[in-house]
Amino acid sequence: MTVESTDVLVVGSGFGGAIAAYHLAAGGARVVVLERGPWLSGKDFEHDFLLGSSYTRVFDFVAGDGMSVLSGNCVGGGSVVYFAALPRAPRFTFERHGSIGRRMWPSAINRDTLDPWYDRISEAMVVEQQTWDDVTFAGGLWAAACDHAGRTANPVPVSVDLSKCTNCNWMMAGCRFDAKRSLLFSYIPAAVSHGADIRPLHEVQRIERKDDGSYRVRYTTIDEVDYRVHTGEGAIDAKIIVLAAGAGATPVILKRSEETLGAMPHAVGRYFSGNGERLNTAVLNEDRVRDVLGLSRAGGRIAYEANQIGKGPVVANWDKLDASLPEYGRFSLEQLYFPPGLGTILAQAPGVADPAWFGPAKKRMLEQWKSWLIIFQMTEDDNEGVFGPPPPTGNAFRISQQMLGRGPLSYDPTPNTLSGWAAADAEVKDILERDGLAEVTAWTNDLVGAYTVHPLASCRIGDDPATSALDDRHELRGHPGIFVTDGSAVPGALTVNPALTIGALAERAIPGIVRAARERGVAVDYGAPVPVGVTSTPMTTGVAG
Amino acid sequence: MGSPTGDAEEIQVLTLEAYADTIIPGERRSADDRAIAGVAPGGGAVQAGALEMLNDPATGVTAGLAPLSQTLNAHATAYAAEIGLDLDGTVPPFVSLSYEHRSALIARLVAPGHPEKDGWVLLALFSYMAYDSAAHMHTTDAIAAGHPGLLSMGFGKPDDDGLWRFREHSYGRALARPHPNTTSSGSPA
């Protein structure tokens, strides 16, 4: 086996990886990006639930004990499969104490110090607030129900070219119409234009330290259809490693590397947060929607029946994002379409004894599917997730050819987390069951545990070496030259969608990574501009297959 | 069905159909249909293609179907003995149970802490996916064929090019006041 070499080896091509790859390549470093998923673009993003279509190619669903994680598995990572909601985290989240009883964020970071970095990533992703004309029926209904209950509701800032959006609601499988401004339109083509070498279907397995203090990364190549099949292996030496495999994979790679790298900081693979996430499903009474909220569609005959129409979250309730409320009592409530096949099973039929997720009553609930409204809660959890021994390869024992696996994450929610979920459940019920508008039930946690689409904090930044794996420059404690820039670096739940915060933290980390690279003899500068308007169609050069 | 000790493949099919039907129940295919309990109108997971789905190697569960169905029948036998039920010896033990007992047994098997939970959840997951997303078929083909799950849920039809678009998508008016602490860029302050 030949061993290649580069200056900087980036693991993963989501926000953390793509941002690092762009800046370091633009600064003159030789950059290789290893991405375990495929490299797809517009025409590949199918409207199809068939196993093997983009609906399963671009995802990882990893079930653990008490928590399941849904994350991206493709070039562009989460930005390809997410709903492009990009709010900034509220000020109070940076002051949170969480499970450690004192401020969990590094002292150098708060909303004010992060805002300039938020500005940069917002410019690159072209974040815009939606108008009420952009707000879909589902979002409009959620807004009207909030207003009826004396609450407020906000159109969510998104990174979507709304002029191209057809409201097809296949957004999670990748945007067929090139409306979602994923990283495929910005940082990734910009990185490639500066020479970054992005290699899809390359799964990093372990990192080794070399005698000169640089690193060797070992990977396997993955079959483009059956991800259970490893087709080859290789190794690349690098002076700087940027780990950005996602909060469900980064700590697994590090723990598997302990034999060759030496002991990991205590916090690697601990303090995992599911961003406090939880989902509720409301089954609407169409007559009450029309009579109570005064809503109607074509001809006035249908009030709603629009579950299938739209795009990700368009309207959120932020009334409980209130710094004066006690920790675990703060949360946001976001309307969210969740397609069949990935979560429908977890919805519980109202008024039925456990288990309420299957059987005749659930089938009747499915018959009302067009009248469903799903509300996504982002609460404050207690960072109680812990990763056990890593599987032999990847971040899970793969079960299906794509998407489905069993991972080593354990999550046993504390009374704090449970109280936050209960408060959010009660708020949703108060809003949506008012005046007979709907019946609301929470998704069951019995089947696959809690469910997060925003895994965080499994390798977090902080000032205290005992509770943070990384210093506030994102360097892995005790392992100079290894940086972590993905969601695993975020210290805790944010009460809003975390992508913009992950991106802002990655942007903030770059100057420090550039300095470290220079200290290791890499000729690289910092100062590349935000990649705006790089391309209006996604990058296809180098697409495998 | 002659004897439960007869054709192993037939026993497996009946047992898995009964499991899938417990998850998303449907109406019997014929008067002597024993696998489907017949507790709900319209097609259920079985008519939606649960067995085709489970037998698709892409799921990763095909190799487990034989041991799972055998284990399920062993659980059904033990369950019947525990609560004093007489089993009908002409069908597999799980198929012999009424819908209520099938449901109660599955509730035990998928409950947190059950040592075999993972396997039973996977069986339920793919039975579900056969019904709610027809993941063993192209979605356009499933809709054209009148797939019972997508039809029952009211999943809308695509345009002629097989892609979905919804031109009517918004109430088109302001429906709430925004939160007072919203920044000019639309984020929480």
Side-chain angles (χ1 to χ4, degrees):
Chain A
M1 184 183 67
T2 57
V3 178
E4 301 174 77
S5 73
T6 187
D7 294 328
V8 179
L9 191 290
V10 179
V11 185
S13 60
F15 280 96
I19 289 171
Y22 164 62
H23 283 291
L24 289 155
R30 294 178 299 147
V31 176
V32 175
V33 180
L34 300 183
E35 164 57 53
R36 67 180 171 164
W39 194 340
L40 306 181
S41 63
K43 64 178 172 29
D44 305 311
F45 298 134
E46 298 141 318
H47 289 189
D48 201 337
F49 291 129
L50 178 70
L51 295 183
S53 68
S54 64
Y55 190 67
T56 58
R57 291 174 78 186
V58 296
F59 276 115
D60 237 14
F61 180 82
V62 177
D65 286 327
M67 173 68 77
S68 292
V69 178
L70 185 67
S71 51
N73 182 57
C74 54
V75 172
S79 80
V80 174
V81 303
Y82 76 162
F83 287 121
L86 292 171
R88 301 181 186 206
R91 179 169 299 271
F92 67 79
T93 61
F94 299 96
E95 309 305 322
R96 287 195 58 207
H97 286 199
S99 58
I100 61 174
R102 59 186 179 282
R103 193 172 185 273
M104 67 170 86
W105 282 79
S107 59
I109 300 178
N110 57 36
R111 174 67 182 267
D112 289 334
T113 60
L114 201 58
D115 262 333
W117 304 105
Y118 272 133
D119 290 342
R120 287 180 67 85
I121 182 77
S122 297
E123 186 182 353
M125 302 306 293
V126 196
V127 179
E128 296 174 297
Q129 191 172 9
Q130 298 171 100
T131 70
W132 288 102
D133 285 333
D134 305 315
V135 164
T136 59
F137 294 120
L141 176 60
W142 176 230
C146 287
D147 185 66
H148 177 68
R151 270 73 163 188
T152 66
N154 282 52
V156 175
V158 295
S159 176
V160 175
D161 182 343
L162 295 162
S163 69
K164 293 182 178 176
C165 178
T166 68
N167 291 290
C168 69
N169 245 340
W170 287 91
M171 196 166 185
M172 281 178 71
C175 181
R176 174 76 178 206
F177 301 108
D178 292 346
K180 180 163 58 180
R181 294 185 176 111
S182 72
L183 294 165
L184 297 172
F185 294 90
S186 53
Y187 287 96
I188 285 172
V192 171
S193 73
H194 287 284
D197 177 3
I198 298 177
R199 302 183 189 178
L201 299 167
H202 284 60
E203 185 174 85
V204 167
Q205 305 301 349
R206 68 177 70 240
I207 304 168
E208 302 166 1
R209 190 190 314 279
K210 298 178 64 186
D211 291 341
D212 64 357
S214 65
Y215 296 96
R216 176 164 295 176
V217 173
R218 295 192 181 274
Y219 63 85
T220 52
T221 50
I222 305 294
D223 182 79
E224 67 175 321
V225 173
D226 192 338
Y227 300 160
R228 295 169 296 199
V229 176
H230 295 241
T231 55
E233 60 182 4
I236 301 178
D237 290 347
K239 293 169 181 163
I240 292 284
I241 306 294
V242 178
L243 259 179
T250 286
V252 180
I253 293 169
L254 288 174
K255 287 175 77 76
R256 188 183 294 120
S257 303
E258 276 194 310
E259 275 181 30
T260 48
L261 277 181
M264 285 297 120
H266 176 78
V268 169
R270 291 187 171 82
Y271 302 108
F272 173 93
S273 164
N275 202 33
E277 290 172 0
R278 184 165 168 83
L279 289 120
N280 283 192
T281 299
V283 181
L284 295 157
N285 180 322
E286 295 282 343
D287 291 341
R288 299 301 291 161
V289 169
R290 184 188 60 233
D291 296 343
V292 174
L293 300 181
L295 296 177
S296 65
R297 288 175 51 196
R301 294 184 305 279
I302 303 169
Y304 173 65
E305 290 191 354
N307 183 37
Q308 191 184 344
I309 300 171
K311 43 187 172 282
V314 291
V315 169
N317 169 274
W318 290 338
D319 290 329
K320 297 296 184 184
L321 298 186
D322 182 342
S324 70
L325 291 171
E327 195 166 353
Y328 309 105
R330 301 170 299 199
F331 52 82
S332 67
L333 303 172
E334 211 169 64
Q335 150 275 329
L336 170 67
Y337 175 75
F338 221 90
L342 286 175
T344 309
I345 186 173
L346 303 178
Q348 302 191 85
V352 178
D354 277 343
W357 56 269
F358 70 87
K362 180 64 181 291
K363 190 184 184 197
R364 288 193 293 277
M365 183 183 177
L366 285 164
E367 289 165 6
Q368 297 172 278
W369 181 76
K370 288 199 293 185
S371 296
W372 287 19
L373 177 69
I374 298 175
I375 303 299
F376 183 45
Q377 308 170 349
M378 287 170 276
T379 74
E380 296 171 303
D381 70 0
D382 240 341
N383 290 75
E384 49 269 77
V386 178
F387 283 84
T393 59
N395 66 323
F397 292 95
R398 283 201 177 275
I399 297 168
S400 302
Q401 70 173 21
Q402 296 167 2
M403 196 171 77
L404 188 62
R406 187 73 166 81
L409 175 62
S410 296
Y411 189 89
D412 185 9
T414 67
N416 286 335
T417 299
L418 293 170
S419 72
W421 286 344
D425 283 352
E427 181 74 353
V428 175
K429 265 187 177 291
D430 186 40
I431 293 169
L432 282 174
E433 293 194 341
R434 186 175 292 240
D435 296 321
L437 285 172
E439 289 183 290
V440 182
T441 53
W443 285 18
T444 180
N445 281 0
D446 287 349
L447 206 52
V448 291
Y451 190 116
T452 184
V453 295
H454 296 138
L456 299 171
S458 53
C459 203
R460 63 188 187 177
I461 52 174
D463 292 333
D464 177 6
T467 59
S468 58
L470 315 172
D471 62 24
D472 77 347
R473 299 171 308 122
H474 294 244
E475 193 165 35
L476 184 67
R477 297 182 185 282
H479 301 274
I482 297 180
F483 292 82
V484 175
T485 55
D486 58 17
S488 41
V490 176
L494 298 174
T495 67
V496 294
N497 318 67
L500 199 72
T501 301
I502 295 169
L505 287 172
E507 279 280 1
R508 178 185 172 276
I510 301 301
I513 299 174
V514 168
R515 275 195 300 277
R518 290 174 66 92
E519 287 164 8
R520 288 171 164 259
V522 178
V524 58
D525 296 316
Y526 175 70
V530 166
V532 176
V534 175
T535 176
S536 60
T537 54
M539 187 74 213
T540 54
T541 305
V543 173
Chain B
M1 180 72 207
S3 158
T5 56
D7 187 296
E9 185 178 345
E10 188 181 3
I11 291 171
Q12 179 176 318
V13 168
L14 286 171
T15 304
L16 294 174
E17 284 186 344
Y19 190 97
D21 179 69
T22 312
I23 300 302
I24 304 284
E27 61 193 25
R28 290 197 165 104
R29 293 160 290 188
S30 63
D32 60 352
D33 192 338
R34 295 294 301 272
I36 291 179
V39 298
V46 173
Q47 290 93 334
L51 269 290
E52 292 91 322
M53 182 90 222
L54 290 167
N55 282 297
D56 183 338
T59 62
V61 300
T62 48
L65 296 180
L68 278 171
S69 61
Q70 290 160 12
T71 306
L72 184 59
N73 282 320
H75 282 303
T77 301
Y79 175 88
E82 176 189 327
I83 61 173
L85 292 175
D86 289 329
L87 291 173
D88 172 358
T90 63
V91 291
F94 185 74
V95 178
S96 175
L97 298 177
S98 68
Y99 183 84
E100 289 68 26
H101 288 302
R102 294 178 186 180
S103 178
L105 176 54
I106 289 178
R108 288 186 184 185
L109 299 177
V110 298
H114 193 283
E116 300 161 9
K117 179 185 171 186
D118 280 4
W120 305 118
V121 168
L122 282 170
L123 213 51
L125 174 68
F126 288 112
S127 299
Y128 231 101
M129 287 174 73
Y131 185 82
D132 79 352
S133 50
H136 54 299
M137 303 173 72
H138 286 294
T139 307
T140 48
D141 292 344
I143 288 174
H147 181 270
L150 296 177
L151 193 66
S152 171
M153 291 163 63
F155 199 83
K157 293 179 179 174
D159 288 347
D160 291 343
D161 62 358
L163 301 175
W164 276 258
R165 298 172 185 83
F166 294 97
R167 288 157 190 88
E168 186 206 1
H169 67 275
S170 175
Y171 293 112
R173 58 189 168 97
L175 290 161
R177 296 167 296 119
H179 193 276
N181 291 325
T182 303
T183 67
S184 58
S185 65
S187 280

